[in-house]
């Protein structure tokens, strides 16, 4: 049986969520600098790993300055999930914090294959996956899931109990239904109900955008750790703000426009160093960094044409000139 995570979240209370196409090495490095205690890889296809897909395997690389990372796998075949979890454990050794199983992604291309949050519709299969992975590895196995599949049909409490019984060492709960996608507000009450129902650590996820939100989430749910996803996009400073607030200290001031542009430049350079031509994925990050700044709307079209660090620098220079 896989190991427990008792005491782990006392030292790692702020987590960067796994986000496909977002939680790249560059972004993880910047979030760690700002106070994230642990980051997750982008979700990794167990099937892709089983084919020795090099693009998939690259998702397992550590970010600069990252000593440990949680690896999130997705898939729906217990044997494949177990064998690839064992391979990840062997490859990563001490740099692996734990293995997480994605049962929360609501993206159509994921759920139509029976992966991600589609597993919430089949708790027996979900439990079989956890049981198989936990039996195959020595590291802890965790699960990330949502309030339920269909809006209005909350199943997370019973689902969490089944995952715990199957060997999950912790559960991360997003307070929205799968079919809700990211609409409306996350219901933190669902996280609180899961926390009451299980004996394993519970990570709260959903709508944390500043330090006060992190404090409110912990106060309302009793969760053991706070996971931040969209609140960190273009805003790695949210971790410094949350860390201060959770410690009872004043939150650092929001970054200035110049600081936001400087961070975006660093992000672009880190991406270029590690990803080469994949610098184009910086486009979405650049838009997030500049959101709300005067001139950002006009710059959006130029950003979508950027293919190099120099291209991004030219846009950032123009924005700063516009800001005066």
């Amino acid at each position: 049986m896989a190991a427990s995570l008792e005491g782990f979240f006392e030292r790692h209370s702020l987590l960067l969520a796994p986000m496909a196409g977002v939680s790249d090495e560059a972004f993880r490095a910047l979030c760690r600098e700002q106070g994230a205690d642990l980051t997750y890889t982008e979700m990794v296809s167990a099937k892709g790993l089983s084919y020795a897909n090099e693009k998939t395997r690259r998702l397992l690389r550590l970010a600069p300055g990252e000593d440990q990372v949680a690896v999130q796998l997705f898939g729906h075949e217990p044997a494949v999930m177990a064998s690839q979890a064992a391979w990840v454990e062997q490859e990563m050794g001490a740099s692996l914090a734990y293995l997480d199983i994605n049962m929360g992604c609501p993206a159509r291309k994921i759920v139509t294959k029976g992966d991600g949050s589609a597993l919430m519709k089949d708790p027996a299969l979900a439990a079989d996956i956890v049981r198989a992975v936990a039996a195959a590895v020595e590291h802890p196995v965790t699960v990330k899931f949502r309030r339920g599949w269909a809006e209005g049909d909350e199943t997370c409490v019973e689902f969490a109990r089944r995952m715990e019984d199957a060997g999950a060492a912790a559960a991360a709960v997003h307070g929205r239904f799968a079919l809700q996608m990211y609409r409306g507000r996350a219901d933190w009450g669902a996280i609180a109900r899961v926390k009451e129902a299980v004996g394993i650590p519970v990570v709260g996820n959903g709508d944390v955008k500043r330090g006060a939100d992190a404090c409110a989430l912990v106060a309302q749910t009793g969760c053991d750790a706070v996971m931040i996803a969209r609140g960190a996009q273009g805003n790695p400073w949210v971790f410094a703000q949350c860390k201060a607030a959770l410690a009872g200290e004043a939150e650092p001031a929001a970054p200035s426009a110049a600081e936001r542009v400087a961070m975006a430049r660093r992000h672009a350079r880190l991406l270029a160093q590690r990803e080469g031509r994949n610098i184009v994925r910086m486009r979405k990050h650049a838009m997030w960094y500049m959101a709300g700044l005067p001139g950002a709307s006009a710059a959006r079209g130029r950003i979508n044409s950027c293919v190099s660090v120099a291209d991004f620098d030219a846009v950032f220079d123009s924005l700063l000139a516009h800001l005066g």
Side-chain angles (χ1 to χ4, degrees), residues 88-297:
V88 169
E89 181 176 68
Q90 181 179 7
E91 285 292 304
M92 299 192 69
S95 63
L96 176 66
Y98 51 82
L99 287 146
D100 185 70
I101 300 173
N102 185 309
M103 298 186 182
C105 179
R108 180 181 296 275
K109 67 179 181 180
I110 298 297
V111 299
T112 53
K113 296 178 181 177
D115 302 332
S117 58
L119 289 168
M120 294 202 74
K121 296 189 291 182
D122 192 344
L125 175 58
D128 285 345
I129 291 171
V130 172
R131 198 172 294 111
V133 174
V137 300
E138 295 181 1
H139 280 73
V141 175
T142 66
V143 181
K144 187 174 188 295
F145 53 90
R146 286 187 163 228
R147 187 180 176 189
W149 169 258
E151 293 185 55
D153 184 17
E154 183 175 293
T155 59
C156 56
V157 171
E158 180 56 31
F159 192 85
R161 289 194 182 108
R162 293 190 71 158
M163 299 308 104
E164 179 181 28
D165 289 344
V173 184
H174 181 104
R176 288 181 176 86
F177 297 104
L179 293 183
Q180 189 180 352
M181 300 293 284
Y182 298 100
R183 292 179 285 104
R185 290 283 303 172
D187 185 335
W188 291 351
I191 301 168
R193 290 186 282 277
V194 170
K195 176 61 182 172
E196 277 187 29
V198 297
I200 55 177
V202 172
V203 177
N205 177 219
D207 294 342
V208 175
K209 301 174 182 176
R210 57 191 180 128
D213 295 335
C215 292
L217 175 60
V218 172
Q220 292 180 32
T221 69
C223 64
D224 300 276
V226 173
M227 178 178 282
I228 303 175
R230 291 180 299 155
Q233 291 175 351
N235 185 30
W237 300 274
V238 69
F239 290 101
Q241 294 163 352
C242 290
K243 182 148 285 190
L246 289 170
E249 303 168 359
E251 292 186 38
S256 66
E259 289 171 327
R260 287 165 67 175
V261 171
M263 185 70 83
R265 290 190 200 273
R266 281 195 62 208
H267 195 152
R269 280 161 172 74
L270 284 170
L271 262 180
Q273 290 168 10
R274 304 285 287 194
E275 300 292 344
R277 291 187 61 82
N278 279 345
I279 185 69
V280 294
R281 72 157 51 189
M282 182 64 201
R283 293 171 183 173
K284 68 180 78 172
H285 289 288
M287 290 183 185
W288 290 326
Y289 281 114
M290 299 196 315
L293 295 179
S297 296

Side-chain angles (χ1 to χ4, degrees), residues 9 56 67 75 81 94 124 129 135 147 187 225 230 256 308 319 323:
F9 294 111
T56 302
D67 55 345
M81 293 286 283
I129 291 171
R147 187 180 176 189
D187 185 335
R230 291 180 299 155
S256 66
S308 68
L319 182 67
L323 293 171

